């Protein structure tokens, strides 16, 4: 659980992690032949191109007050699954590029924590950076639209499941609310898995 005092570390983590997360979606799509993100100006590490004032900044602050952990949404990187190479498998690569990047960021921060002695404030920042990036990885890999893990399920599921996923995705903000509810009610198991990953990293 995070406290209001942790916001000084949480906000920079959000800006850095989500910018790289969304940029990796864009770079992966571009490398697979889709220029949609590039044309939209999203092929960049500039965090200002990837954040939404309410869902990326205000919402996590509110949810830390209410629940003790930040819920947030970045501006989704647009991509055309019909333009990427390898069809649904290419789209799955675009989808998992973001959360896998979060896991790699957590591992990188953990290396600094394990092998380099640093001032207490930097250590605190890197601990929170590791924890949040592991959480982003786990939550984004949940195979429910619009989360990134749904792209992986799309690629390897039968047509009946694909139709169900498409129907859920078509609900727009209602599907996002479903994700919020699931994360809230299953935060205990999510945190349990996250803690095991963090223990391995640290």
């Amino acid at each position: 659980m995070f406290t209001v005092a942790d916001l000084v570390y949480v906000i920079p983590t959000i800006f850095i992690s989500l910018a790289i997360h969304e940029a990796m979606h864009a770079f992966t799509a571009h490398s697979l032949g889709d220029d949609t993100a590039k044309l939209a100006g999203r092929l960049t590490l500039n965090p200002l191109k990837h954040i939404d004032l309410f869902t990326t900044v205000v919402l996590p602050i509110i949810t830390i007050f209410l629940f003790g952990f930040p819920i947030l949404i970045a501006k989704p990187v647009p991509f055309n699954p019909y333009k990427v190479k390898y069809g649904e498998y290419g789209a799955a690569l675009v989808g998992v590029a973001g959360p896998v990047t979060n896991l790699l960021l957590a591992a990188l921060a953990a290396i600094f924590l394990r092998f380099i002695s640093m001032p207490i404030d930097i250590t605190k920042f890197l601990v929170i950076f590791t924890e949040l990036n592991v959480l982003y990885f786990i939550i984004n890999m949940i195979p429910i639209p619009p989360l990134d893990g749904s792209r992986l399920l799309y690629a390897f599921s039968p047509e009946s499941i694909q139709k169900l996923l498409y129907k859920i995705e078509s609900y727009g903000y209602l599907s996002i609310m479903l994700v919020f509810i699931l994360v809230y009610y299953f935060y205990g198991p999510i945190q349990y898995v996250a803690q095991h990953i963090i223990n391995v990293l640290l």
Side-chain angles (χ1 to χ4, degrees), residues 15 19-20 23 41-51:
F15 273 69
I20 299 175
R42 302 294 299 279
L43 198 65
T44 175
L45 287 169
N46 181 359
L48 297 179
K49 296 288 187 178
H50 301 296
I51 66 170

Side-chain angles (χ1 to χ4, degrees), residues 1 6 38 44 49 54 56 58 71 74-75 77 79 82 90-91 110 113 124 127 137 140 145 148-149 158 191 200:
M1 289 292 184
D6 292 331
K38 181 180 180 180
T44 175
K49 296 288 187 178
F54 178 74
T56 317
V58 177
I71 295 175
K75 287 165 62 177
V77 167
F79 89 102
Y82 300 104
L113 286 168
K124 177 73 171 177
V127 168
F137 166 72
N140 274 286
D148 298 324
Q191 191 176 39
V200 170

Side-chain angles (χ1 to χ4, degrees), residues 13 17 101-116 118 122-134 201-202:
T13 294
S17 303
T101 296
N102 289 127
L103 185 60
L104 292 175
L105 288 172
L108 180 62
I111 289 171
F112 280 93
L113 286 168
R114 290 183 67 172
F115 299 111
I116 301 175
M118 292 167 290
I122 296 178
T123 299
K124 177 73 171 177
F125 169 72
L126 289 176
V127 168
I128 288 178
F129 187 90
T130 302
E131 292 172 345
L132 281 179
N133 274 282
V134 169
L201 293 177
L202 297 179

Side-chain angles (χ1 to χ4, degrees), residues 53-116:
L53 179 60
F54 178 74
T55 60
T56 317
V57 180
V58 177
L59 183 62
I61 293 174
I62 292 173
T63 50
I64 282 181
F65 271 101
L66 295 177
F67 310 127
F69 62 91
I71 295 175
L72 58 140
I73 306 169
K75 287 165 62 177
V77 167
F79 89 102
N80 187 339
Y82 300 104
K83 292 178 71 174
V84 297
K85 297 176 184 176
Y86 316 123
E88 285 291 350
Y89 300 106
L93 288 173
V94 175
V96 302
V100 168
T101 296
N102 289 127
L103 185 60
L104 292 175
L105 288 172
L108 180 62
I111 289 171
F112 280 93
L113 286 168
R114 290 183 67 172
F115 299 111
I116 301 175

